[in-house]
RNA sequence: GCCGAAGUGGCGGAAUGGUAGACGCGUUCGACUCAAAAUCGAAUAUCGCAAGGUGUGUGGGUUCAAGUCCCACCUUCGGCACCA
């Protein structure tokens, strides 16, 4: 018998599999399974051992599904547009086209080294014009539906990355990429009305088989509040008749002692002609200055600040006149940007009222006999001191009061429209041109893709213009508008040709990843992003595996994008990912995140070289529960290597036929059952431990039959595809083990004919007792009464009660 | 502050309400070796010579029986955070 030489085995079979297209997707079964990894964004550093954990898991799962007779789609590709790749290129002074291609090649090599069963014939790359042609096409459909629009609102601007950012790209008011303080900058933007889909994105979460915490993250991000919009008439204010406010607590309207508006709203009044006094202008200015740095993502809660405008509003329920304040804690982007302030039942309003000595009027009693003057509380309760509404519950009063004052019940969301333009080079160009009056036109389908020009200079300008704006020969195009209102290009000297200019912003990093999973289904289709019949066969993704950090960006964007495609009738399901599983991080041996900064990165190339890909795979699946973070341990990994060596060495005991001991037979069938069930549940660690247990049994056997060993090889094949393939062929098999059929267990071989009962006396374990399986309860009791320990503790007295759990345990209550 | 997840040996972790600690790492002892590594065998929650006692973050509760269910609390991690 040869020694286990992982290097030669792994190289040999990887080459064979590739030559034979073993992992080419089949379409011959009526059962399909689409299992997908979140595709990587190739950085310059290559993979570390933490990255492949999810890929190995989908690999194991897909291999089992394949052996179970499914048509399995398990593809891979690369997401490579956007800031990180561009920054990397800038730092290394290469063109991103070049560096990206290099990084992709390196990633691919590393992935192949692990023996993953991807169908590389379907590989995609978001930076490939053949791919982004369809990103552009889809965005164009949004534009035509009015879902993508030009906006001039101030947006988050990162001065260091020199680009506008979406709300999702911020972390505590800082740029998620570089940590710079984000500024507010008025900039022309393409924006997508994702908020139109807020409600569907929220309610459809219910039908998804996703981990609850990920759904919760999305719910929080969408941030729906149900409340009322109510108009408060403004008194002798010629510029606006009334002030519309949003509140979730219409039941507290009798406690409204002032109004508060955002500085943006105040500014818009100034624009309309309102001339506030000096003091108001000063404070307004101060608030504006502070807000320029930070808008809706404050790092710290600032001190409340505001000023009385001199304007009064009338409370619609009781006609009371209350002052209107400008206040720094009012967010323009939430609700209507104006509130009725109820200091008794809102802590922020309370703080403000205290500072400016405004009245505090309690109108909700927590419990019936509560003292109404016991300070601020925001809980629902019983309405008091509120005319005809007194005595109602908060929830009833909300509806009745809103109705009475002619308000409407409505919802507002924390989710913002998606700022969908970057002032950078490395992204998809927009399929848009402008005429001399800045009227925008979509370009005709025949013009797609609009290819990103190859340039020498792609440094961001920082002016709010993309570097593309400097490339005159790309920006200026000649053509005309056809009968569909779309641009088609013409030669410059054509009589109908007019000058147009291209949109020079590019799409954000998240564009391609919002739909890439559809492209794998039909990667090479030139006439459509996916063939409708194929889409029906493979879609939706049955199982999606990736990092939890994508919960509020990629996974929201993709769900939105997919729903849009569904609405325009080009896909057949309204949710892209039926089941989602997140991967737990692999930490470094020191417990920190693996990072170049800490010098604690473990390189998979070295691990594969020294221990083999199979060992790495088995170890990563054995480390612990899949969704939990675990620290890497090289010595622990050696255990997985030993397991494979012992498994390999078992072949020396294999004979054509021999009897297997009863114990081992039972272990075998239990293992078949458990491995299948556990892989299905992504409980790889327990699947492997069961196989280890089985191996421990088989090692005690003098000989092992070929038939038994074959079963073991099949069970291990998804985890350790190379060594099992080698052993499989050593046994004389000619087809690959990876297209063999998944083993089945015998129900009758799962248990022995005897069982060990636990004998408890007063709930404490005192003895065990071997009895025939499925023995009558009365006979179990008879047997227990013969037990020495029973006699010792119970004696001859008749116990109060004897509980028998069949085939498991007896508990005697004295 | 709000929301979510989780607390079990020296470590990673197992346990449909039914014998807590499977499996692996580590450690100790033994075999092999001149020796070491590797490998193989045995032991390994804890106190106790033993009988036995104690043990799944803390305190209560339900139950014949609780790591598992209920209530309160503590700690850690993750997310959101002036969202009216």
């Amino acid at each position: 018998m040869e020694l286990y030489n992982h290097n030669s085995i792994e190289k040999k079979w990887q080459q064979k599999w590739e030559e034979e297209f073993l992992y080419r997707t089949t379409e011959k079964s009526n059962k399909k399974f689409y299992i997908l990894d979140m595709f990587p964004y190739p950085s310059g550093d290559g993979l570390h051992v933490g990255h492949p954990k999810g890929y190995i898991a989908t690999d194991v799962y897909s291999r089992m599904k394949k052996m179970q007779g499914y048509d399995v789609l398990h593809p891979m590709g690369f997401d490579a547009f956007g800031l990180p790749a561009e920054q990397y290129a800038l730092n290394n002074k290469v063109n991103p086209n070049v560096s990206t291609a290099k990084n992709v090649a390196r990633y691919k090599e590393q992935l192949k080294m692990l023996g993953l069963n991807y169908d590389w014939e379907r590989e995609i790359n978001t930076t490939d014009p053949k791919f982004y042609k369809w990103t552009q096409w889809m965005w164009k459909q949004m534009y035509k539906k009015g879902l993508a629009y030009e906006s001039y609102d101030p947006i988050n601007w990162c001065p260091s990355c020199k680009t506008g950012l979406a709300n999702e790209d911020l972390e505590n008011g800082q740029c998620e990429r570089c940590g710079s303080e984000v500024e507010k900058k008025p900039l022309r933007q393409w924006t997508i009305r994702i908020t139109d889909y807020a409600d569907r994105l929220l309610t459809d979460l219910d039908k998804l088989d996703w981990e609850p915490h990920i759904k919760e993250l999305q719910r929080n991000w969408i941030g729906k509040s149900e409340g009322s919009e109510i108009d408060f008439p403004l008194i002798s204010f010629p510029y606006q008749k009334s002030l519309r406010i949003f509140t979730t607590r219409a039941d507290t309207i009798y406690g409204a002692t002032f109004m508060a508006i955002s500085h943006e709203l105040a500014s818009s009044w100034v624009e309309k002609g309102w001339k506030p006094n000096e003091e108001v202008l000063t404070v307004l200015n101060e608030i504006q200055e502070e807000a320029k740095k930070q808008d809706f993502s404050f790092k710290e809660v600032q001190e409340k600040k505001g000023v009385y405008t001199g304007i009064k509003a009338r409370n619609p329920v009781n006609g009371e006149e209350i002052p209107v304040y400008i206040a720094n804690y009012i967010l323009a982007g939430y609700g209507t940007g104006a509130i009725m302030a109820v200091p008794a039942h809102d802590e922020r309003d309370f703080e403000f009222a205290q500072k400016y000595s405004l009245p505090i009027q309690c109108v909700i009693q927590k419990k019936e006999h509560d003292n109404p003057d016991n300070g601020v509380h925001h809980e629902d309760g019983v309405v008091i001191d509120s005319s005809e509404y007194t005595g109602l519950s908060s929830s009833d009063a909300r509806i009745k009061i809103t109705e009475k004052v002619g308000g409407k019940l409505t919802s507002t969301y924390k989710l913002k429209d998606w700022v969908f333009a970057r002032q950078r080079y490395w992204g998809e160009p927009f399929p848009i041109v402008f005429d001399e009056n800045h009227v925008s036109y979509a370009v005709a389908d025949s013009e797609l893709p609009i290819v990103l020009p190859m340039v020498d200079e792609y440094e961001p300008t920082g002016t709010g213009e993309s570097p593309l704006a400097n490339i005159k020969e790309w920006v200026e195009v000649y053509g005309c508008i056809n009968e569909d209102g779309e641009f088609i290009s013409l030669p410059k000297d054509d009589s109908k040709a007019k000058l147009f200019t291209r949109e020079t912003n590019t799409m954000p990093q998240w564009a391609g990843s919002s739909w890439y999973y559809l492209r794998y289904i039909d990667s090479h289709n030139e006439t459509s992003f996916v063939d409708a019949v194929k889409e029906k066969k493979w879609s939706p993704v049955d199982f999606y595996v990736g990092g939890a950090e994508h919960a509020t960006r990629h996974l929201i964007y993709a769900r939105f994008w997919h729903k849009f495609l569904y609405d325009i009738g080009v896909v057949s399901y309204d949710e892209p990912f039926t089941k989602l599983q997140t991967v737990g991080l692999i930490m470094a041996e020191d417990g920190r995140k693996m990072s170049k900064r800490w010098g604690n990165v473990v390189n998979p190339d070295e691990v594969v070289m020294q221990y083999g890909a199979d060992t790495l795979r088995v170890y990563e699946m054995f480390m612990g529960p899949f969704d939990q973070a675990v620290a890497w341990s090289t010595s622990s990994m050696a255990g997985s290597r030993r397991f494979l060596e012992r498994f390999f060495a078992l072949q020396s005991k294999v004979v054509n036929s021999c009897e297997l001991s009863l114990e081992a037979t039972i272990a075998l069938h239990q293992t078949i059952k458990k491995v299948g069930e556990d892989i299905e549940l992504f409980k790889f660690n327990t699947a492997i431990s069961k196989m280890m247990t089985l191996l421990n049994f088989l090692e005690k056997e003098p000989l092992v039959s070929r038939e038994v060993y074959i079963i073991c090889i099949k069970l291990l094949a998804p985890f350790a595809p190379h060594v099992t393939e080698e052993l499989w062929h050593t046994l004389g098999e000619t087809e690959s083990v990876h297209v063999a059929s998944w083993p089945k267990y015998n129900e009758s071989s799962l248990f022995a004919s005897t069982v060990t009962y636990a004998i408890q006396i007063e709930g404490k374990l005192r003895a065990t007792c071997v009895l025939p399986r499925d023995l009558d309860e009365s006979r179990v009791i008879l047997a227990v009464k013969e037990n020495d320990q029973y006699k010792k503790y119970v004696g001859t007295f008749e116990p109060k009660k004897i509980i028998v759990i069949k085939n498991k345990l007896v508990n005697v209550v004295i």
Side-chain angles (χ1 to χ4, degrees), chain A residues 637-699:
Chain A
M637 180 178 59
S640 298
R641 167 73 192 198
R642 277 198 280 271
F643 167 61
L644 292 182
E645 278 171 4
R646 284 163 50 208
F647 190 92
F648 187 81
L650 193 67
Q651 64 179 296
S652 64
K653 281 192 186 176
V654 172
V655 292
N656 271 331
S657 86
C658 69
E659 280 294 306
L660 195 64
S661 73
L662 183 65
E663 254 192 332
T665 306
I666 291 163
L668 177 71
H669 286 271
Q670 285 179 347
T671 306
I672 298 170
K673 181 166 192 277
K674 187 153 178 68
V675 170
E677 288 171 355
D678 282 356
I679 291 176
E680 197 70 53
L681 296 168
F682 259 44
K683 290 170 67 175
F684 305 109
N685 56 333
T686 49
I688 292 171
S689 79
K690 193 68 185 174
M691 285 190 277
M692 288 173 167
T693 310
L694 174 63
L695 180 60
N696 290 344
F697 275 108
L698 294 179
E699 282 177 334

Side-chain angles (χ1 to χ4, degrees), chain A residues 45-63:
Chain A
D45 303 329
L47 295 169
H48 67 58
V49 288
H51 294 124
K53 185 172 162 189
Y55 308 151
I56 296 168
T58 60
D59 193 70
V60 170
Y61 194 98
S62 63
R63 283 176 190 274

Side-chain angles (χ1 to χ4, degrees), chain A residues 34 442 454 561 565 797 805:
Chain A
Y34 185 0
M454 199 56 177
W561 199 286
L565 296 179
F797 296 105
I805 306 299

Side-chain angles (χ1 to χ4, degrees), chain A residues 396-606:
Chain A
D396 288 345
R398 283 205 270 273
I399 297 164
K400 293 222 161 99
I401 289 173
T402 305
E403 239 169 51
K404 177 70 186 295
V405 301
K408 62 169 182 173
L409 294 172
T410 175
S411 299
T412 188
Y413 300 87
K414 196 172 75 87
L415 183 75
K416 297 278 178 293
D417 275 345
W418 182 6
V419 173
F420 196 77
R422 299 292 178 270
Q423 294 69 46
R424 301 279 299 219
Y425 167 71
W426 191 235
E428 300 89 344
F430 284 88
I432 286 286
V433 296
F434 297 99
D435 66 15
E436 69 274 19
N437 299 317
H438 195 78
V439 174
S440 61
Y441 301 91
V443 304
D445 285 358
S446 58
E447 303 276 320
L448 296 179
I450 308 297
V451 177
L452 184 65
M454 199 56 177
V455 292
D456 297 328
E457 291 293 320
Y458 57 92
E459 289 255 1
T461 62
T463 58
E465 286 269 26
S466 147
L468 290 178
N470 298 329
I471 311 168
K472 196 176 168 211
E473 61 275 23
W474 184 78
V475 174
E476 294 188 349
V477 280
Y478 289 86
C480 66
I481 303 305
N482 68 13
E483 60 273 21
D484 297 329
E486 296 183 349
F487 171 83
I488 47 171
S489 55
L490 291 169
K492 190 175 175 178
D493 50 19
D494 190 292
S495 60
K496 281 176 286 178
K498 270 174 47 183
L499 176 67
F500 290 82
T501 55
R502 291 197 190 282
E503 169 62 62
T504 58
N505 283 318
T506 53
M507 297 188 193
Q509 188 187 326
W510 308 98
S513 60
S514 293
W515 73 277
Y516 75 106
Y517 52 89
L518 290 165
R519 189 61 177 169
Y520 286 129
I521 294 171
D522 197 9
S523 311
H524 305 292
N525 193 327
E526 303 254 330
T527 56
S528 160
F529 69 91
V530 63
D531 174 81
V533 176
K534 290 181 181 165
E535 190 272 334
K536 261 220 158 71
K537 156 137 192 162
W538 288 109
S539 176
V541 174
D542 296 286
F543 206 156
Y544 196 25
V545 177
E549 70 275 15
H550 291 112
T552 50
R553 275 194 283 190
H554 163 58
L555 288 171
I556 286 202
Y557 295 149
R559 288 184 61 221
F560 153 74
W561 199 286
H562 196 91
K563 283 182 183 301
F564 170 73
L565 296 179
Y566 177 75
D567 288 351
I568 62 169
V570 294
V571 295
S572 52
Y573 297 86
D574 66 347
E575 282 287 345
F577 315 120
T578 306
K579 181 169 178 156
L580 176 79
Q581 171 69 56
T582 54
V583 198
L585 280 180
I586 293 180
M587 314 300 278
E589 213 138 358
D590 60 11
R592 293 189 285 201
K593 274 192 183 176
M594 277 193 196
S595 156
K596 256 179 38 192
R597 189 156 111 225
W598 307 119
N600 57 12
V601 174
V602 181
N603 180 305
D605 304 60
E606 285 161 25

